[in-house]
Amino acid sequence: MDMPTVAIVGRPNVGKSTLFNRLVGKKLALVDDRPGVTRDRREGDVAFGGLIFRVIDTAGLEESDDDTLTGRMRMQTEAAILAADVVLFVIDARAGVLPADHSFAELTRRAGCPVILIANKAEGGAGMSGAYEAFSLGLGDPIPFSAEHGEGLGELHNALIEALPKPDPDEEEDEDGPGGRSLRVAIVGRPNAGKSTLINNMVGEDRLLVGPEAGITRDSISLDWEWRGRRIKLHDTAGMRRRARIDDKLEKLAVSDGLRAVRFAEVVVVLLDATIPFEKQDLTIVDLVESEGRSLVIGLNKWDLVADQPGLLKQLREDCTRLLPQVRGVSVVPLSGLAGEGIDKLMQAVVNAAEVWDRRVSTSKINDWLSEATSRNPPPAVSGRRIKIRYATQVKSRPPHFALFGNQLDALPKSYTRYLVNALREAFDLPGTPIRLSLRTSQNPFDKS
């Protein structure tokens, strides 16, 4: 099968070349703050989490006459769009959607191939309003992204899995061989939480170096495994510490590799030391997993050392609910990596978490829920005018992402959005998974209701 082609398009200076360099893993494309640095199409081969494709970096789309330099550059870009199997349409989330973006979105739509909308420069949540504004382009759900910092790579990978042409089974075997795609599971935690010992017991061999010293694992190690007929790709990672405490350059690279493993995983097991659980660093790691939108399971390792303490498990589960409200209902599984106890329960929790993370709810059920939730606890009034939530739908899964439409939703207090997220979690049985909620205010100037 020929290698599929992915074209990166958008206005000048939205970060196309930085994204190109990120995907190919090399600085092949010249990057500068000045617009218009890229003039010709540049191509590179990409191996991205099991996906293999050719990516094309294009000149920035500008409205110009065909016989001008910028006009000829635009024609080169249009040719790349027509030849592509998938288009990555990039906007600058901080600048928001500009009139030219609408024109070029229409051009991209006419090409008839799948389009993935990327709201770039949204690092650390900056530019999220611009990302939500990108819905107006009619190209589907935007991926908040940072090409410079690598944020959003997991979401882009999932979108490419859906959009790229599927391999012909007569030509090419599934990337994970017979038996279907592997469930990607990352094991993360503080140094010396017992991650490598646990994985060695899972796979039934001393595959990973272990010892009492913290920080033995320096690479993100990937292992293929099978549990009850289910294909699993396990990622052992270096222990994660706060960056301020990391002086060694090699360890900084290892922690960065661990972050990458989290972004490519579907389920992340955060392994805690049951003798000293819920340290500040543990909570920071859970925050990272939630912000990346990964499915989550908490493993209480070294449980054999504290199993004789009555009521401890109940207490730790209550502590989890109190300390981690953003992943309310997350599975907390006691285990011993050294003794090989609790692994079956851990893996069942992993499979269940993946199912919840991938769950979709019908629009009719969501709007029945919305009617009941807003009747039970109506949205507040702003300047004497009540906020009205008219309609809700699920725009994507992995993690579940819901959109609310109405008037003045930008004035909705955080306490009310928390109420809605908790109500969604309870109504549709979504324990432990991150839930995303987008608020889209009507732009109709005649909407006075």
Side-chain angles (χ1 to χ4, degrees):
M1 178 176 157
D2 291 337
M3 192 182 296
T5 301
V6 175
I8 304 174
V9 305
R11 288 186 295 102
N13 213 31
V14 294
K16 299 184 296 299
S17 294
T18 306
L19 173 57
F20 174 88
N21 287 340
R22 173 73 62 178
L23 288 173
V24 298
K26 302 175 187 175
K27 291 189 176 179
L28 296 181
L30 185 62
V31 176
D32 193 270
D33 287 336
R34 292 167 297 172
V37 170
T38 302
R39 290 184 172 179
D40 295 306
R41 286 185 282 169
R42 186 182 294 273
E43 299 186 7
D45 293 341
V46 177
F48 182 29
L51 299 174
I52 297 175
F53 55 90
R54 177 166 292 112
V55 65
I56 303 174
D57 182 27
T58 66
L61 286 161
E62 296 186 77
E63 294 177 313
S64 306
D65 293 334
D66 289 351
D67 56 353
T68 64
L69 174 61
T70 53
R72 293 195 300 275
M73 289 160 58
R74 190 196 72 245
M75 291 169 68
Q76 283 276 319
T77 297
E78 290 177 13
I81 292 171
L82 292 173
D85 295 292
V86 177
V87 171
L88 304 184
F89 190 98
V90 184
I91 69 156
D92 182 337
R94 294 187 177 183
V97 175
L98 301 185
D101 289 315
H102 286 280
S103 303
F104 300 134
E106 182 58 30
L107 169 70
T108 308
R109 251 196 310 273
R110 287 201 303 268
C113 65
V115 180
I116 298 171
L117 180 57
I118 294 177
N120 194 31
K121 306 183 185 180
E123 51 264 29
M128 287 304 293
S129 59
Y132 293 149
E133 192 181 336
F135 283 105
S136 66
L137 293 172
L139 296 175
D141 201 42
I143 298 174
F145 199 86
S146 171
E148 185 173 358
H149 299 285
E151 295 176 14
L153 280 171
E155 286 76 9
L156 176 57
H157 183 265
N158 291 333
L160 284 167
I161 287 175
E162 296 298 321
L164 284 168
K166 301 296 182 284
D168 186 333
D170 294 331
E171 294 180 358
E172 186 172 310
E173 193 173 56
D174 184 272
E175 64 169 284
D176 293 303
R181 190 179 61 80
S182 297
L183 177 64
R184 302 189 301 277
V185 180
I187 313 286
V188 305
R190 285 184 287 119
N192 214 27
K195 299 179 290 296
S196 297
T197 302
L198 171 63
I199 290 180
N200 280 341
N201 226 314
M202 284 175 155
V203 300
E205 59 177 300
D206 290 337
R207 173 63 178 79
L208 303 174
L209 182 63
V210 297
E213 304 86 358
I216 286 182
T217 301
R218 277 183 163 162
D219 296 315
S220 177
I221 306 295
S222 174
L223 298 172
D224 291 315
W225 182 50
E226 193 169 294
W227 178 78
R228 294 187 180 176
R230 180 75 183 261
R231 301 179 69 85
I232 308 290
K233 190 175 283 291
L234 286 172
H235 292 269
D236 181 33
T237 61
M240 292 185 176
R241 295 193 285 175
R242 280 195 296 112
R243 291 184 183 276
R245 293 189 176 179
I246 301 172
D247 298 317
D248 181 69
K249 183 179 180 182
L250 188 59
E251 192 178 348
K252 283 184 179 178
L253 291 172
V255 171
S256 174
D257 212 29
L259 296 176
R260 235 182 343 263
V262 168
R263 287 168 179 155
F264 287 127
E266 294 167 280
V267 183
V268 177
V269 176
V270 176
L271 206 61
L272 310 187
D273 183 334
T275 64
I276 44 171
F278 298 115
E279 294 278 285
K280 183 177 180 181
Q281 186 63 9
D282 296 326
L283 305 182
T284 301
I285 293 170
V286 171
D287 269 341
L288 166 73
V289 174
E290 194 278 338
S291 68
E292 289 293 332
R294 305 301 99 182
S295 184
L296 176 71
V297 172
I298 291 178
L300 293 172
N301 196 26
K302 308 181 186 180
W303 187 253
D304 48 323
L305 302 180
V306 295
D308 58 346
Q309 299 182 33
L312 179 61
L313 182 57
K314 181 182 177 185
Q315 178 61 51
L316 290 179
R317 283 177 169 153
E318 289 174 356
D319 290 346
C320 181
T321 300
R322 175 174 54 83
L323 295 168
L324 301 170
Q326 71 273 39
V327 287
R328 185 182 299 274
V330 66
S331 291
V332 178
V333 182
L335 59 101
S336 168
L338 187 62
E341 297 170 354
I343 290 175
D344 262 4
K345 288 184 178 177
L346 177 70
M347 288 309 302
Q348 189 58 60
V350 164
V351 170
N352 293 345
E355 188 276 325
V356 171
W357 188 63
D358 200 27
R359 186 169 297 162
R360 279 198 170 271
V361 184
S362 73
T363 298
S364 61
K365 287 182 179 178
I366 295 170
N367 283 285
D368 288 344
W369 159 82
L370 179 64
S371 177
E372 182 187 348
T374 53
S375 296
R376 186 168 62 241
N377 181 8
V382 177
S383 302
R385 183 184 174 201
R386 183 163 294 283
I387 295 173
K388 177 72 174 175
I389 305 174
R390 304 181 180 285
Y391 176 75
T393 188
Q394 184 176 359
V395 293
K396 62 183 286 191
S397 59
R398 315 183 79 183
H401 185 159
F402 300 88
L404 304 182
F405 298 81
N407 72 296
Q408 299 191 102
L409 296 192
D410 49 353
L412 211 57
K414 287 185 178 178
S415 59
Y416 196 81
T417 59
R418 277 197 303 271
Y419 158 72
L420 291 174
V421 166
N422 288 332
L424 277 165
R425 194 182 294 284
E426 184 178 342
F428 300 117
D429 191 23
L430 299 169
T433 192
I435 292 178
R436 302 290 186 250
L437 197 64
S438 298
L439 307 176
R440 306 183 197 170
T441 295
S442 169
Q443 298 299 315
N444 183 356
F446 301 103
D447 181 7
K448 303 295 184 185
S449 57

